[in-house]
Amino acid sequence: MRRIQLIVAYDGTTYHGFAKQNNAETIQEILEKALYSLTKEKIEVISSGRTDAGVHAKGQCCIIDTNTTIPSRNLMRALNGRLPKSIVVKEAVDVKPDFHPRYMAKKKTYRYQILTSLVNDPFIGPFSYFYPYPLDVTRMQAAAKYIEGEHDFKCFCAAGSSVKTTVRTVYSIEVRRIDDVIQIDICGNGFLYNMVRIIAGSLIEVGRGKKDPAIIGKMIENKDRTLGGPTAPPEGLTLLEVYYDDTLRYEEQ
């Protein structure tokens, strides 16, 4: 039995998230069907974490356990030949038998992208929140500074979450403008349910001038979700990369 790591990119627009569901098409379901078509094995795809309906990924880390003798590089090519254009396996490599993409993840980076042009763009729009209003990036950057560091991020967690603790560490958050696109890149050791989308929605309110940058600090201090903005829609969110200690992931050569 081999454990193989798959790095997967996907356009989540038409899918109901990553994890399998009974009555909706998901990324995991499509991947497992492609694997069965190739290997005739019922293989479970385990990811670094679920992404919600409409959310995208450039570097989702997954593992599979298989008895196939197909070399990993050939496996990648064969899988891509069986997958729709909206899902791509970017890398396949054998890893240690105890490597786990969820429990061994050190940090993750997400990007929330906002398109502020007067009209939508068919090349950028599918991966952005179309918001055709001016946003002050300087104000958004000032607000974002309150988010860096270790905090109780209960104010940025959607209702109904059952996590043991809402304390997380945000290593960095960058807000930049590239023409009509604003990108919010956030790297942390873990994220609460809808955390990045609530942060994005709150920063948009600041950038629009509806809230003061200091409101982000007050949200965190008071653990008060009601002080923030709405949860930004899923289409603007992309999982960029998941980071690991490679000594725990790969066998020594």
Side-chain angles (χ1 to χ4, degrees), residues 7-247:
I7 302 298
V8 184
Y10 48 86
D11 172 357
T13 302
T14 61
Y15 298 102
H16 290 260
F18 185 90
K20 282 193 294 189
Q21 298 181 28
N22 289 332
N23 300 306
E25 193 171 55
T26 67
I27 306 296
Q28 183 183 8
E29 176 190 353
I30 299 298
L31 285 169
E32 290 179 0
K33 284 181 177 179
L35 284 162
Y36 183 78
S37 170
L38 178 62
T39 67
K40 299 300 182 282
E41 294 177 277
K42 290 186 177 180
I43 298 171
E44 181 184 9
V45 176
I46 299 172
S47 71
S48 68
R50 300 179 179 187
T51 52
D52 288 338
V55 174
H56 319 289
K58 293 186 76 173
Q60 174 68 276
C61 183
C62 305
I63 54 167
I64 60 170
D65 291 329
T66 176
N67 288 306
T68 185
T69 58
I70 302 172
S72 54
R73 188 175 180 85
N74 294 349
L75 180 78
M76 175 188 70
R77 290 174 173 169
L79 279 176
N80 285 330
R82 290 164 168 79
L83 290 168
K85 291 181 179 180
S86 53
I87 305 174
V88 175
V89 177
K90 298 168 65 177
E91 176 187 309
V93 60
D94 287 76
V95 290
K96 291 183 176 182
D98 61 349
F99 170 68
H100 197 288
R102 184 173 305 143
Y103 304 130
M104 292 184 174
K106 295 293 185 183
K107 57 184 180 178
K108 296 180 180 182
T109 297
Y110 282 92
R111 171 171 293 161
Y112 197 88
Q113 186 159 280
I114 307 152
L115 178 61
T116 62
S117 53
L118 283 177
V119 295
N120 210 334
D121 185 319
F123 298 98
I124 301 172
F127 307 100
S128 307
Y129 171 29
F130 177 52
Y131 188 83
Y133 305 100
L135 292 174
D136 187 329
V137 171
T138 301
R139 287 173 57 87
M140 296 171 73
Q141 290 168 337
K145 290 180 181 179
Y146 291 96
I147 295 169
E148 288 188 341
E150 182 181 83
H151 304 286
D152 186 337
F153 284 107
K154 184 178 180 180
C155 61
F156 291 118
C157 182
S161 177
S162 59
V163 292
K164 293 181 180 178
T165 175
T166 48
V167 174
R168 298 289 186 274
T169 300
V170 171
Y171 300 117
S172 64
I173 178 168
E174 299 179 19
V175 184
R176 70 178 73 85
R177 178 189 294 279
I178 305 172
D179 298 324
D180 291 325
V181 173
I182 293 174
Q183 295 176 340
I184 303 168
D185 287 1
I186 180 167
C187 178
N189 66 351
F191 293 90
L192 303 168
Y193 183 53
N194 280 352
M195 179 172 165
V196 178
R197 290 168 56 191
I198 296 172
I199 288 173
S202 300
L203 292 180
I204 288 169
E205 294 275 282
V206 171
R208 191 81 173 104
K210 295 181 178 181
K211 296 184 184 295
D212 189 81
I215 198 66
I216 301 299
K218 291 178 181 177
M219 286 178 69
I220 296 171
E221 181 181 356
N222 298 324
K223 302 179 180 64
D224 191 348
R225 170 72 182 91
T226 65
L227 295 176
T231 303
E235 63 267 23
L237 184 61
T238 300
L239 172 61
L240 293 184
E241 190 171 357
V242 188
Y243 304 85
Y244 299 93
D245 179 347
D246 285 345
T247 62

